[in-house]
């Protein structure tokens, strides 16, 4: 599965202040800040800005890492590299070749305590670039084995394509982003690592994966396991690693590992983007030219843009976008603007009116004059009566049968656009046909552009063959009446 701009729903981001606090609390950036504040005139670095080996124990001790921790030096080195790459420290190269360089605290260090949330997030994004680059580099032991005499890497012998590795990781995080923003639960559900790996390997039209494909998925899982372990300290993801027992070779002379429960998918790794991770992946997408909308992008636009824009949004995202738009408008004016934008006989009009109803349900009684103004409107009179009745308004005129049927067709057309052939819509269709025995005899005469399509869908969705046939006959009559 690939991510395309057309498939990306809007993301509901946390506030920049919340994201900045989360960035400062991440283990890796916290370590980088501690080392930047620890650095002084006696700190010595190599030609690439890295801490010299003699200073790594002191750096690790500053970070509170145990002296007997075999990974202490690596953690310190990683944090230092982030501090250098993000401008928390400035490196001055030695004047003589082979000599050690010096460092001073960088100007950006002060931004973490005195700058804006945008400043903090800018530094965190710089750290993400560093970690991203690390995640696509092959194992250093393998790298040293293929160094040529001139010190350059023989990529062909290593079997490593830097661009392909970067594209693969971009695709994985893009798919994880899409799964997160499209999750009605707000991205709280972690994604199994096998499913994420398969989304990059298994062709969409493949039935049963071949052994070769399964082996590629397994290899991708192991690669992603390493990469997500690298990303987690920066707060990009929450990650439950692959169970070590699944990767361990069986030692014939030793005890057998505990049996693996194939049903316990969590043992194969589980990952989800954090709110900070959503922000980070979206920022990289925007930089790459991908259209990755965020909830709130339409808050300062007109009602026509709001209703059209939210037409393709998932329900929870549309609700959040509408709430932000309403927060910028006074109720009566908002209602009038929404009603004007909801008019139309084009294909997208029913869904605009559905979103208009959704928005009006959030507006208080102050909007009542706007709804009364459209009671005689053939397109808006039905939804106006529904709103007034729900708000216990007095003197609401009863709708005509023509208006009732028009509103029914309009509502079903909108639901079809949102849900397709869903179980919920099927239940609605069954209920309509059951409550109104002569529904189809009247419905085909409704002068609505979507009448034939709605009746055809009802024939497709209704489980009763006799009723389905009535719906299809009514659809044929509607098309004939419309000259189609």
């Amino acid at each position: 599965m690939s991510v395309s701009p057309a498939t990306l729903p809007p993301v509901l981001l946390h506030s920049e202040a919340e994201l900045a606090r989360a960035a400062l609390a991440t283990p890796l950036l916290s370590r980088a800040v501690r080392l930047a504040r620890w650095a002084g005139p006696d700190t010595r670095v190599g030609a690439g800005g890295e801490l010299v080996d003699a200073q790594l124990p002191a750096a690790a001790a500053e970070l509170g890492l145990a002296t007997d921790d075999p990974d202490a030096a690596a953690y310190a080195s990683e944090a230092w590299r982030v501090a250098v790459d993000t401008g928390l420290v400035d490196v001055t190269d030695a004047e003589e070749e082979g000599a050690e360089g010096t460092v001073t605290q960088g100007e950006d260090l002060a931004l973490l305590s005195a700058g804006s949330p945008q400043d903090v997030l800018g530094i965190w994004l710089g750290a993400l670039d560093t970690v991203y680059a690390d995640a696509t580099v092959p194992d250093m032991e393998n790298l040293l084995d293929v160094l040529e005499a001139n010190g350059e890497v023989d990529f062909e012998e290593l079997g490593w394509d830097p661009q392909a590795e970067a594209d693969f990781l971009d695709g994985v995080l893009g798919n994880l982003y899409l799964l997160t923003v499209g999750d009605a639960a707000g991205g709280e559900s972690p994604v199994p690592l096998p499913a994420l790996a398969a989304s990059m390997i298994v062709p969409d039209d493949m039935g049963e994966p071949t052994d070769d494909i399964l082996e590629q998925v397994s290899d991708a899982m192991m690669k992603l396991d390493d990469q997500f372990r690298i990303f987690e300290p920066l707060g990009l993801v929450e990650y439950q690693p692959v169970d070590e027992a699944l990767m361990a070779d069986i030692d014939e002379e030793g005890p057998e590992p505990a049996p693996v429960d194939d049903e316990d998918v969590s043992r194969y790794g589980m990952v989800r983007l954090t709110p900070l991770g959503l922000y980070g992946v979206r920022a990289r997408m925007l930089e790459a030219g991908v259209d990755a909308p965020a909830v709130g992008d339409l808050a300062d636009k007109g009602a026509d843009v709001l209703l059209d824009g939210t037409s393709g949004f998932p329900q929870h995202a549309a609700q959040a976008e509408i709430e932000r738009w309403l927060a910028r408008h006074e109720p009566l004016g908002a209602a009038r603007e929404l009603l004007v934008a909801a008019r139309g006989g084009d294909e997208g009009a029913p869904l605009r009116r559905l979103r208009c109803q959704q928005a009006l349900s959030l507006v208080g009684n102050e909007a009542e004059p706007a709804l009364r103004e459209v009671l005689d409107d053939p397109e808006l009179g039905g939804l106006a009566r529904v709103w007034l009745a729900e708000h216990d308004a007095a003197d609401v005129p009863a709708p005509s049968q023509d208006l009732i049927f028009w509103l029914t067709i309009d509502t079903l057309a909108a639901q079809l656009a949102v849900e397709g052939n869903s179980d919920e819509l099927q239940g609605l269709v069954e209920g309509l046909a059951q409550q109104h025995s002569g529904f189809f005899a009247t419905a085909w005469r409704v002068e609505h552009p979507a009448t034939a399509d709605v009746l055809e869908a009802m024939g497709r969705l209704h489980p009763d063959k006799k009723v389905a046939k009535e719906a299809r006959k009514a659809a044929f009559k509607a098309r004939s009446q419309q000259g189609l």
Side-chain angles (χ1 to χ4, degrees), residues 370-388:
L371 278 299
R372 289 194 178 277
E373 289 165 5
V374 297
L375 280 172
D376 294 330
D377 189 293
E379 295 177 348
L380 304 176
L383 69 84
R385 284 168 170 80
V386 171
W387 187 95
L388 290 167

Side-chain angles (χ1 to χ4, degrees), residues 112-400:
L112 294 178
S113 55
S116 66
Q118 294 95 324
D119 293 328
V120 173
L121 291 171
I123 292 170
W124 182 84
L125 287 173
L128 177 58
D129 288 341
T130 297
V131 176
Y132 213 91
D134 289 347
T136 57
V137 172
D139 184 87
M140 287 303 297
E141 292 182 6
N142 296 335
L143 201 59
L144 292 173
D145 291 340
V146 294
L147 279 176
E148 297 179 334
N150 62 1
E152 295 184 356
V153 178
D154 184 347
F155 290 139
E156 186 174 345
E157 183 179 345
L158 185 61
W160 178 59
D161 182 341
Q163 187 59 52
E165 292 294 326
D167 289 344
F168 178 82
L169 187 53
D170 284 342
V172 167
L173 291 178
N175 284 354
L176 186 56
Y177 179 93
L178 180 57
L179 290 169
T180 304
V181 298
D183 181 8
E188 294 297 322
S189 304
V191 178
L193 198 61
L196 192 57
S199 73
M200 295 296 298
I201 305 295
V202 182
D204 291 337
D205 58 354
M206 175 173 280
E208 188 71 22
T210 64
D211 290 342
D212 178 61
I213 289 292
L214 290 175
E215 185 175 350
Q216 291 182 49
V217 170
S218 180
D219 290 343
M221 283 175 57
M222 296 304 99
K223 180 193 297 184
L224 292 174
D225 181 67
D226 290 336
Q227 291 172 328
F228 287 136
R229 289 173 191 258
I230 292 173
F231 281 129
E232 188 171 36
L234 191 61
L236 190 80
V237 296
E238 288 181 4
Y239 183 54
Q240 177 182 325
V242 176
D243 191 327
E244 296 290 345
L246 299 176
M247 297 187 289
D249 293 329
I250 297 177
D251 185 351
E252 294 182 355
E253 298 180 1
E256 287 192 8
V260 175
D261 180 4
D262 289 339
E263 298 300 319
D264 186 4
V265 70
S266 66
R267 295 189 66 186
Y268 293 86
M270 302 287 285
V271 63
R272 80 175 187 93
L273 285 175
T274 64
L276 188 60
L278 278 171
Y279 171 85
V281 173
R282 177 175 182 263
R284 291 183 64 86
M285 286 181 171
L286 293 175
E287 188 176 353
V290 176
D291 182 14
V295 171
D297 286 350
L298 307 180
D300 59 349
K301 303 295 190 295
D304 55 341
V305 177
L306 175 73
L307 297 184
D308 279 329
T310 55
S311 292
F313 285 16
Q315 177 65 22
H316 65 284
Q319 181 87 357
E321 186 70 65
I322 289 169
E323 287 174 355
R324 295 193 181 194
W325 187 88
L326 288 172
R328 293 184 173 218
H329 296 75
E330 55 88 17
L332 182 56
R336 285 181 172 137
E337 191 176 345
L338 287 164
L339 289 165
V340 169
R343 287 193 175 96
D346 57 284
E347 186 178 354
L351 190 47
R352 284 203 305 276
R353 283 186 281 273
L354 182 66
R355 292 298 185 222
C356 177
Q357 284 182 283
Q358 184 179 347
L360 291 172
S361 71
L362 304 175
V363 179
N365 291 330
E366 304 96 317
E368 181 174 336
L371 278 299
R372 289 194 178 277
E373 289 165 5
V374 297
L375 280 172
D376 294 330
D377 189 293
E379 295 177 348
L380 304 176
L383 69 84
R385 284 168 170 80
V386 171
W387 187 95
L388 290 167
E390 289 176 346
H391 287 73
D392 298 322
D395 301 323
V396 180
S400 66

